[in-house]
Amino acid sequence: MRKISLVAAGAILATMSVMADTIPARAAVPSATAQADSPAGQTRAAATAARSFLATFDPGSRTKVQFPFVTQKSGTLARFRRSAPDQPVQPVTDAQAAAPAARGPGMGPPGGFIGERYGTSVWSNFPVSDVPRPGLQLGQMTTGQYTAALHLLQTLLSAKGYQKVMDIMGGDQALADSGTPFASGRAVYTMAVFGEPGDTKPWMVQFGGHHLGLNIVIDGTHGIMTPTLTGAQPAMYLADGRTVRVLAGENDRAFALLDSLDAKQRRQAILPYKVEDLVQGPGHDGETLIPEGVKGSDLTAAQKDLLMDVIGEWAGIINDAYAAPRLKEIRADLDSTWFAWSGPATHTPGHNGVSYYRIQGPRLLIEFSPQGVGDDPTMHVHTVYRDPTDSYGSRYTMP
């Protein structure tokens, strides 16, 4: 997110800090059931893990984490703003957003803090203190609920995807430890289940917070993770005596692809203008974007493999059983997939670069956008992963 100045209540921040200290970087969770060979088997495992998580709540408190799954054609823009620095954020209507309004320190950007609403769910790259998410924060869960929540994540995600999520949360904890005027750290990441977990009817798990927003829809044998947002701040930090570099694969694999392009391909790929933020981040679902850059049909077979390596950093977050058919359809579309670049063509080895790139195909949109607003852009990045034909599982859930 862009760094903002909020005058948050000291007591709330103190509570968040205590919560963060009590939640380990990696909880001792049961190993997810052996990765199912088939999507149907994976769905059974996911539904079992979700029901086990919900079973840790009594009927009265379950309403805090379980909500109806309401299908719609696409997500819609959701805005939030606080009336005063010490007041909670409230939804903002389009009319209110358009009208001139006095904004004091920490009261949000013009138009409000931005999120995306789908049914009863909300996701965003802003902290949960700026864009409230439905569900329960990890720091508010009992030990049993917390363990079951992470077990559900492990079941839904690949091993690499789960580690990526833990690294993102670890970076946000490092940010919280340095002191922030907004809700940050592991304790405030929020989980919610939408619908009734099962093998046939669609349901969704939403998990996220600052720089993370997973939307995972399960519909029979289909597991869909679009749209999803990953990010990092800081993108490099120390944990247990080792350096963690968040989203390193997303950066390094993209530079490897750029380095493989010949002079003509580079002229096509590198845009003649600067892109400094996500074009289709939260709140921009359903919008049409004209493809730019070098087209997949102009790439060699080896370069297409490098492009798939980049795409796999997002498409491979979800469990392998769900990722395999998704990767297959993306590869089938490679000739109609575009790769565009904005910014320097080099970066310091072992560090993220400051360049934006976009991958766009018939059923794919990926953006990688370093953020330079008041920060070192190599340490602050936003990314988004969408499928314009399958937003929140709409390819299967919509009649």
Side-chain angles (χ1 to χ4, degrees), residues 1 3 9 11 13 31 36 44 46 52 82 85 111 131 137 159 174 181 198 227 240 321 340 346 352 376 388 399:
M1 59 160 280
K3 200 144 191 177
L13 289 177
S31 173
R44 287 192 294 272
S52 296
R82 51 177 49 82
V131 177
Q137 296 177 2
D240 301 324
T346 61
N352 286 351
D376 176 354

Side-chain angles (χ1 to χ4, degrees), residues 94-281:
D94 289 344
Q96 290 171 327
R103 295 187 296 108
M107 294 173 68
F113 301 108
I114 299 301
E116 185 168 299
R117 191 184 306 279
Y118 182 82
T120 55
S121 73
V122 177
W123 73 292
S124 177
N125 56 293
F126 280 104
V128 298
S129 50
D130 299 333
V131 177
R133 279 69 146 179
L136 193 64
Q137 296 177 2
L138 293 180
Q140 297 172 337
M141 295 181 185
T142 66
T143 300
Q145 291 164 351
Y146 175 69
T147 300
L150 292 196
H151 177 56
L152 174 56
L153 280 181
Q154 285 183 311
T155 306
L156 290 168
L157 306 181
S158 66
K160 181 178 180 179
Y162 182 78
Q163 186 60 56
K164 192 188 299 285
V165 166
M166 293 296 105
D167 289 346
I168 291 170
M169 293 170 64
D172 200 51
Q173 185 60 52
L175 185 67
D177 293 343
S178 70
T180 64
F182 50 82
S184 55
R186 297 187 189 94
V188 297
Y189 283 80
T190 304
M191 175 171 280
V193 176
F194 300 84
E196 292 292 339
D199 299 350
T200 55
K201 294 182 180 180
W203 53 282
M204 181 172 80
V205 172
Q206 188 177 73
F207 179 78
H210 190 206
H211 288 131
L212 178 67
L214 303 178
N215 299 296
I216 304 174
V217 175
I218 308 299
D219 186 15
T221 59
H222 306 290
I224 302 99
M225 202 192 71
T226 48
T228 272
L229 183 145
T230 56
Q233 186 189 18
M236 187 179 295
Y237 61 94
L238 289 175
D240 301 324
R242 67 184 183 93
T243 299
V244 178
R245 187 169 151 234
V246 190
L247 307 184
E250 288 84 338
N251 179 88
D252 296 353
R253 292 179 185 276
F255 272 101
L257 172 58
L258 185 70
D259 289 343
S260 76
L261 302 182
D262 62 29
K264 179 181 178 181
Q265 291 171 324
R266 278 197 171 212
R267 287 194 297 271
Q268 294 172 323
I270 298 177
L271 301 175
Y273 60 91
K274 191 172 184 179
V275 184
E276 297 182 293
D277 206 351
L278 298 177
V279 179
Q280 290 196 325

